[in-house]
Amino acid sequence: MRPLAIGVDLGGTNMRVAAIEDDGTQLQIIRSATNLARGYELVMGELVSMIRDLVRTFAANRRLLGIGVGIPGIIDLESGTLKTASNIPGWNDCPLRDTLESALQAPVILDNDANCAALGEKWIGAGRNLNDLCMLTLGTGVGGGFILNGKPWHGAIGMAGELGHMSVVPEGRGCACGNRGCLEQYASATAIRRMALEAVAAGLSPQLAGVADLNPHFDARAVFDCAVAGDSRARAIFESVGTALGVALANLINALNLPVYVVGGGVSNAWEAFSPSMFRQLSKRSIVFRAGELQQSQKKTTIVTRTFLQENAGLLGAARLPMLAEQSTRRSPLAV
Ligand SMILES: [Zn+2]
């Protein structure tokens, strides 16, 4: 029977659940508002019933491998506990894996949402046919993930890939992590909105001020629309996003020399606005990136690209987790 996995993208605002076959075919995606005010039990109850719906529909003539869950937070992989998630307030030390496994009677694997996005891109996206990649997700915050030898790299205490908290501006803006000048403060959707509102308050852009006045949901997308329409201040904001990203990526490229670096998350839709200044920084700051520019062979070039899978990267990567777990169980002599 054809293997099937369920992928879950559990965010603070929305949750999405997908039934996905082992070749990446997306059978169905269903979504719902997370609505955290209901509390942990009710949110998990709805998530369980969404998963059950898909299992009932698609698992009758397929082999269910398990459920992979991507969450924007810090996870204790051994105990399957969500330690903390900045966009899911109040869910500290939640036993997510136990809750789902006992309700669903199927294996559940948790991972950080950016690690899942990286795994999705490695599987059927920008890094397919490669074993190693780095992913940056630019959303409300900035996340990161590494795939090394085909698998998510978790590090010694499971916290690898906190790329949003790399320092890009010494003594820069304060960050909730305790540091100053973190990438997240200059390249997230939150940062773009903040920089635009600062420009409005300083009277630097009548166009941004007009849009902010009319639009109660004034966000990074609205700033991007102003940049596309030619507003010089909005364009300068995205140039500064690209500069911050370029500084961070130059360090990552010099340190790791991976074949591909993928930029995803909602802000990556503004690729045209920020990537020119990002590439300028890479050429200026990274000896390893420059060495690749001189190579004729595509294989020796460092590729920095926007996401191939867009908003589904994390969902697909989450579904990939039980598939990888099954492969490693089959290969392990201990499993005989
Ligand atoms: Zn930080």
Side-chain angles (χ1 to χ4, degrees):
M1 283 201 291
R2 177 124 218 176
L4 170 78
I6 303 291
V8 176
D9 174 13
L10 177 56
T13 309
N14 294 300
M15 51 189 180
R16 297 187 301 153
V17 181
I20 293 171
E21 290 184 328
D22 64 341
D23 62 355
T25 302
Q26 299 169 43
L27 299 169
Q28 192 179 350
I29 299 177
I30 52 179
R31 68 197 73 219
S32 180
T34 310
N35 192 4
L36 290 168
R38 295 179 291 174
Y40 179 77
E41 304 288 333
L42 285 180
V43 172
M44 294 308 282
E46 185 178 5
L47 180 58
V48 164
S49 78
M50 289 165 78
I51 295 169
R52 278 196 186 127
D53 280 351
L54 289 186
V55 169
R56 210 175 292 127
T57 308
F58 295 107
N61 53 356
R62 294 179 181 84
R63 188 164 55 93
L64 179 65
L65 300 177
I67 296 119
V69 184
I71 313 158
I74 296 169
I75 295 150
D76 183 329
L77 295 164
E78 262 177 48
S79 65
T81 306
L82 173 63
K83 302 301 290 177
T84 173
S86 54
N87 295 328
I88 313 183
W91 282 32
N92 300 335
D93 297 313
C94 281
L96 272 179
R97 187 175 69 204
D98 283 356
T99 304
L100 291 172
E101 281 189 342
S102 61
L104 295 161
Q105 297 298 307
V108 172
I109 304 176
L110 311 182
D111 212 324
N112 172 270
D113 63 337
N115 286 348
C116 289
L119 186 57
E121 293 288 347
K122 184 264 166 287
W123 180 28
I124 46 174
R128 67 165 67 201
N129 306 322
L130 294 170
N131 272 329
D132 309 308
L133 69 79
C134 170
M135 175 114 198
L136 276 162
T137 57
L138 315 179
T140 308
V142 172
F146 299 110
I147 302 298
L148 300 178
N149 292 320
K151 294 179 189 165
W153 176 260
H154 294 111
I157 58 166
M159 286 182 70
E162 286 296 335
L163 305 183
H165 301 290
M166 294 177 72
S167 301
V168 294
V169 180
E171 303 312 315
R173 180 170 283 270
C175 180
C177 76
N179 185 27
R180 302 195 76 84
C182 290
L183 177 63
E184 182 163 296
Q185 299 302 319
Y186 300 91
S188 61
T190 311
I192 291 165
R193 181 173 188 273
R194 186 203 73 230
M195 290 187 277
L197 290 174
E198 283 168 357
V200 169
L204 294 171
S205 169
Q207 187 174 351
L208 278 173
V211 173
D213 259 356
L214 291 172
N215 182 358
H217 304 296
F218 183 64
D219 57 7
R221 174 84 223 182
V223 184
F224 176 61
D225 290 342
C226 288
V228 171
D231 181 70
S232 61
R233 198 67 212 175
R235 290 167 81 146
I237 288 170
F238 281 98
E239 275 173 31
S240 74
V241 169
T243 299
L245 270 176
V247 171
L249 276 166
N251 287 326
L252 289 166
I253 291 167
N254 282 351
L256 296 163
N257 190 198
L258 299 179
V260 63
Y261 299 76
V262 188
V263 180
V267 174
S268 68
N269 290 320
W271 179 261
E272 290 78 11
F274 68 75
S275 64
S277 59
M278 178 185 79
F279 282 114
R280 274 198 300 279
Q281 292 297 322
L282 293 181
S283 298
K284 186 171 135 189
R285 293 180 187 273
S286 171
I287 185 173
V288 178
F289 185 81
R290 277 200 307 277
E293 285 182 302
L294 300 172
Q295 299 287 343
Q296 296 298 312
S297 157
Q298 180 80 358
K299 278 188 178 162
K300 291 190 175 173
T301 302
T302 301
I303 295 169
V304 180
T305 177
R306 67 194 292 182
T307 169
F308 282 22
L309 304 177
Q310 300 178 345
E311 75 275 11
N312 286 340
L315 199 54
L316 285 159
R320 184 67 175 155
L321 290 168
M323 298 179 198
L324 286 182
E326 205 237 4
Q327 282 174 8
S328 67
T329 308
R330 266 194 279 133
R331 280 194 205 120
S332 165
L334 294 172
V336 173

